[in-house]
Amino acid sequence: MAHVITRPCCNDASCVEVCPVNCIHPTPDEPEFLTAEMLYIDPEACIDCGACIDECPVSAIFPDDQLEAKDEPYLQINADYFKDHDPDGGLVKPTRPPVMPEGKELHVAVVGAGPAAFYAAGELVKRGQVKVDMFDRLPTPYGLVRAGVSPDHAKTKGVENTFAATEKKANFTYHLNVDVGTHITHDELNARYGAILYAVGAPHDRRLNIPGEDLTGSFAATEFVAWYNGHPAYADRTFDLSGERAVVIGNGNVALDVARILLTDDAVLGATDIADYALDALKASSITEVVVLGRRGIEHAAFTNAEFLSLGDLDGIDIVIEEPDLALSEGTEAALADDTLDSTIATKIRLAREFAARPRTEGNKRIVFRFLSSPLEVLGDDRVTGLHCMQNSYAASGAATPTSETFDLDASIVVRSVGYRGQPIPGLPFDRDRNVVPSDDARVTDGPDGPVLPGLYVAGWIRRGPTGGIGRNRFCGEEAAASILADFAAGSLPEPERSVDDVPELVASRGAERVDLDGWRRIDAAERAAGKTEGRRRVKLVTVDELVATARATEEAVG
C-alpha cells in the first residue's frame, strides 16, 4: 500500500521534510518545485509510514485504500509524475544557521499578512532575539488564504493553523487595520526597524485593453473573488447575475473558481464561509452556463490538473469540451503518441478527452471550455451583451496564431481572469516592466541591476510576480527570512534611530483603529461561533466597522 496526495495539496512541502525515504517530489531543492502544480508520492518508494499525513496542513494525503471515489484518479496522477521525473535526486542537507550576534535584538517589520509574510515570520520568530511586528491594512490576517482561496476549498484554508501557531509567539506582534503609507510611512518604519520585509502581493488585475472592457457587466475576477470571499473593500459591490451565460476570459485556477462558484448548488455554498450577501445573490442568479475562454490550446491551459479534475465532481453541472477544442500542436501530438510528453501535460490532455466523452444531462448547468480563442471586443451599449472573439490555430512552430475566423458569444457578464499585477510601494524602487520590486535573494535593489538597499526585503508576488501558490510562497518567504538573518549575523543591517515602542500611539494619532492579537482572536471566535450555529466553518464579518467593533468587544460580549 502507498500513500497518495490529492487535490487540496498546497505545495507547502512540510510532508517532504518528514518523509524518511525521500519519496515525495518535487522537493524544494529540485527545479520543478517552483512551477509544480502539486506534490506527488512515488508509489514504488513509499513505505506506508504515514508521517506525511500528520504533517500535511491541508489534509491532502491518504492511504491508497482509503481514497474516496472522487479522489481515486490521484492514484494515477501521482504515479504518472514519476514516469518522467527522477525520484533519486536526494535532499540537500540543511545548512548550519548563521550565528546571531550576542546581546543584540533585531526588530523586523513585516508589511502584509498573507502566506509569504507568515512563512517568513515563522522562520524569524524561531530566534528569540528577533522581534516581528506584522502590519496589514485589513483588520484580519492571512491575506489571500482568507480573501482569495475559494470558499468551497475548506481544506486549503487549513493552512491558517500554521499561521496561527506563529501569531501566538511571544516575539510576534500584530498591527492590523494599519495602512503603511497612511498611518505610518516607509521612512518611519525605516527609522524604527532594523529590517523591513514587504510581502504585499499583487493586488491589482491585468487588463485586456480591448473595446468595451469597461462596460457594466465587464469586471475583473479579482473583484468578484474578493466580493464572494467577504473582503471589506468589496462588500458593497453588486453584480448583475440575471442573465443566463457568463464568459470568463482566461483559464487559470482563478477562472475555474469563478466558473464553479457561479454554478455551484446553493446548499453546497451555504455550508462554506462564503459571504452571506454573495450567497444571497448567487441563490437568485439565473446563470446556467459559464464559458471559459483560453487563447491557446488545452496543452497550454494554466489551470492545474487537480482543479480541472475536481470539476467532474460537481453535481448538476456538465463539463463541455467539443472536439475542435481538443486540438493539439503537431509537436505535442507526436510526443503524446510516442509517450515522451511531459506527464503533467499528458494528464491534462487525458482529462480533457475524458470530459469531452462524458454524456450530458438535459437540464444540467454547463461549464464550456473554448480553447484557441482570443477576445477582440466586449459587445454592448450601456452594458455587456456579448463578446466578439477570434478563432486561433496552431502554426507549424507550435504557437497559437490568429485566423480570419471570428465568432460572437452572447453573454450578460464578462469576467477577465488574466492575472494579477503588483503596484509601486512608496519609498521603494519598482520595475514597471515586470510590476515587481527589484531584488536579489529577496534583498531590495536600486533597480533591476542596482546595488542592494540595506535592511529592505521583499517576498511573495511583489518579489517575483503573480506566479505560484501557497507552497511557492512558503519557499519565497523562508528565503527572505534566511537573507534577513544572514544580514543580521553579518552586521550589515542599519541601526534603527528610534524605538518601536511608539508605533501604537503613532498610528492611532493618524486615525488607525489598530487591531492586535487579542482583537483578532475575538473576531475569529465570533465568526466561528456564528458559523457553528449554522453548520459552517465561519460566518465572516465583512465591514471594517463591525470587524473593529468585534475586536474591541470584551471576551464576555463575544460569548
Side-chain angles (χ1 to χ4, degrees):
M1 184 173 69
H3 284 65
V4 180
I5 299 179
T6 63
R7 190 209 60 77
C9 177
C10 67
N11 294 45
D12 171 84
S14 297
C15 54
V16 172
E17 297 173 2
V18 299
C19 178
V21 293
N22 189 29
C23 73
I24 305 176
H25 294 267
T27 63
D29 60 294
E30 294 171 350
E32 294 90 346
F33 179 81
L34 297 181
T35 56
E37 294 186 349
M38 57 181 283
L39 304 183
Y40 308 88
I41 292 177
D42 181 358
E44 299 298 324
C46 178
I47 60 172
D48 192 30
C49 69
C52 54
I53 292 179
D54 293 335
E55 201 67 22
C56 179
V58 296
S59 302
I61 307 177
F62 300 90
D64 60 13
D65 63 350
Q66 295 180 24
L67 289 172
E68 296 183 20
K70 66 182 179 62
D71 290 329
E72 287 182 357
Y74 287 98
L75 282 164
Q76 182 173 345
I77 288 173
N78 276 247
D80 282 351
Y81 179 82
F82 296 95
K83 288 181 178 179
D84 57 355
H85 292 82
D86 179 14
D88 299 320
L91 294 174
V92 175
K93 292 182 180 180
T95 56
R96 174 176 289 185
V99 178
M100 299 294 102
E102 290 188 16
K104 291 190 68 175
E105 283 190 346
L106 171 64
H107 288 266
V108 181
V110 176
V111 183
F118 261 102
Y119 282 121
E123 288 298 300
L124 293 171
V125 296
K126 290 177 181 178
R127 281 77 177 177
Q129 40 190 138
V130 180
K131 315 293 183 185
V132 173
D133 285 6
M134 182 173 284
F135 294 79
D136 197 274
R137 62 190 179 89
L138 292 178
T140 55
Y142 307 158
L144 285 182
V145 173
R146 179 180 171 96
V149 171
S150 190
D152 58 345
H153 285 357
K155 286 186 177 180
T156 303
K157 292 175 182 283
V159 75
E160 292 178 358
N161 295 329
T162 300
F163 305 156
T166 295
E167 70 190 14
K168 295 174 184 176
K169 299 290 186 180
N171 51 338
F172 179 95
T173 300
Y174 269 137
H175 297 287
L176 301 174
N177 204 38
V178 174
D179 184 21
V180 173
T182 302
H183 301 126
I184 189 168
T185 68
H186 168 76
D187 288 342
E188 287 168 337
L189 290 177
N190 227 3
R192 290 165 172 79
Y193 294 90
I196 307 172
L197 171 63
Y198 284 92
V200 294
H204 292 281
D205 62 280
R206 294 183 183 274
R207 293 181 61 83
L208 297 167
N209 296 318
I210 61 174
E213 187 173 8
D214 294 319
L215 283 171
T216 300
S218 172
F219 50 86
T222 54
E223 301 171 25
F224 191 65
V225 169
W227 171 76
Y228 65 62
N229 271 312
H231 190 298
Y234 296 88
D236 60 353
R237 286 292 307 271
T238 57
F239 296 93
D240 185 357
L241 307 179
S242 60
E244 293 184 357
R245 178 188 283 158
V247 177
V248 180
I249 301 171
N251 56 21
N253 283 351
V254 174
L256 299 198
D257 286 346
V258 170
R260 198 177 60 253
I261 293 298
L262 282 170
L263 298 180
T264 295
D265 184 78
D266 303 341
V268 175
L269 290 179
T272 73
D273 65 358
I274 191 170
D276 283 348
Y277 59 75
L279 181 60
D280 291 340
L282 289 163
K283 284 181 178 179
S285 170
S286 299
I287 293 174
T288 58
E289 179 176 292
V290 179
V291 178
V292 179
L293 206 70
R295 180 177 63 85
R296 298 189 293 176
I298 177 62
E299 64 197 85
H300 300 294
F303 50 70
T304 61
N305 289 331
E307 292 299 323
F308 192 36
L309 176 64
S310 69
L311 295 180
D313 299 324
L314 300 175
D315 290 335
I317 299 175
D318 288 338
I319 309 304
V320 178
I321 307 176
E322 302 291 353
E323 187 65 30
D325 291 295
L326 294 173
L328 306 175
S329 64
E330 291 183 7
T332 298
E333 284 277 19
L336 187 63
D338 62 17
D339 203 25
T340 59
L341 185 64
D342 178 277
S343 60
T344 301
I345 298 174
T347 297
K348 194 161 293 183
I349 294 168
R350 174 177 60 80
L351 292 175
R353 290 175 173 176
E354 290 175 0
F355 277 136
R358 285 188 179 187
R360 298 166 195 171
T361 303
E362 186 175 353
N364 270 5
K365 297 178 181 180
R366 294 155 46 104
I367 298 177
V368 180
F369 286 90
R370 293 290 301 265
F371 297 105
L372 292 168
S373 303
S374 296
L376 297 177
E377 180 181 0
V378 180
L379 303 175
D381 294 325
D382 297 326
R383 62 164 299 107
V384 171
T385 60
L387 188 67
H388 183 53
C389 305
M390 172 76 74
Q391 187 68 53
N392 301 324
S393 66
Y394 280 115
S397 65
T401 58
T403 68
S404 58
E405 182 182 348
T406 62
F407 62 93
D408 290 346
L409 289 169
D410 293 336
S412 59
I413 60 173
V414 171
V415 187
R416 63 180 182 275
S417 182
V418 292
Y420 292 74
R421 175 173 55 86
Q423 65 178 0
I425 299 172
L428 269 64
F430 193 70
D431 183 344
R432 294 188 179 276
D433 292 331
R434 298 179 55 224
N435 290 311
V436 298
V437 173
S439 64
D440 181 9
D441 287 337
R443 299 174 176 91
V444 174
T445 59
D446 190 9
D449 300 310
V452 167
L453 300 178
L456 301 180
Y457 304 84
V458 282
W461 285 2
I462 194 60
R463 173 188 172 190
R464 65 182 193 274
T467 58
I470 292 172
R472 189 165 181 188
N473 278 319
R474 175 184 179 179
F475 182 83
C476 191
E478 291 179 351
E479 191 172 53
S483 291
I484 293 171
L485 294 173
D487 292 347
F488 181 44
S492 59
L493 295 177
E495 288 291 335
E497 302 168 2
R498 303 187 59 166
S499 168
V500 302
D501 293 345
D502 70 340
V503 169
E505 292 75 17
L506 175 62
V507 299
S509 72
R510 305 260 175 82
E513 296 184 90
R514 173 177 169 266
V515 174
D516 59 11
L517 176 58
D518 286 340
W520 160 237
R521 283 175 170 167
R522 293 183 185 115
I523 293 170
D524 186 45
E527 291 183 337
R528 290 183 184 276
K532 187 175 182 179
T533 63
E534 298 183 20
R536 301 168 64 182
R537 182 174 177 272
R538 67 171 70 234
V539 174
K540 287 180 178 176
L541 303 170
V542 296
T543 69
V544 170
D545 286 347
E546 61 187 353
L547 285 163
V548 170
T550 303
R552 294 193 167 192
T554 63
E555 297 281 355
E556 293 76 15
V558 173

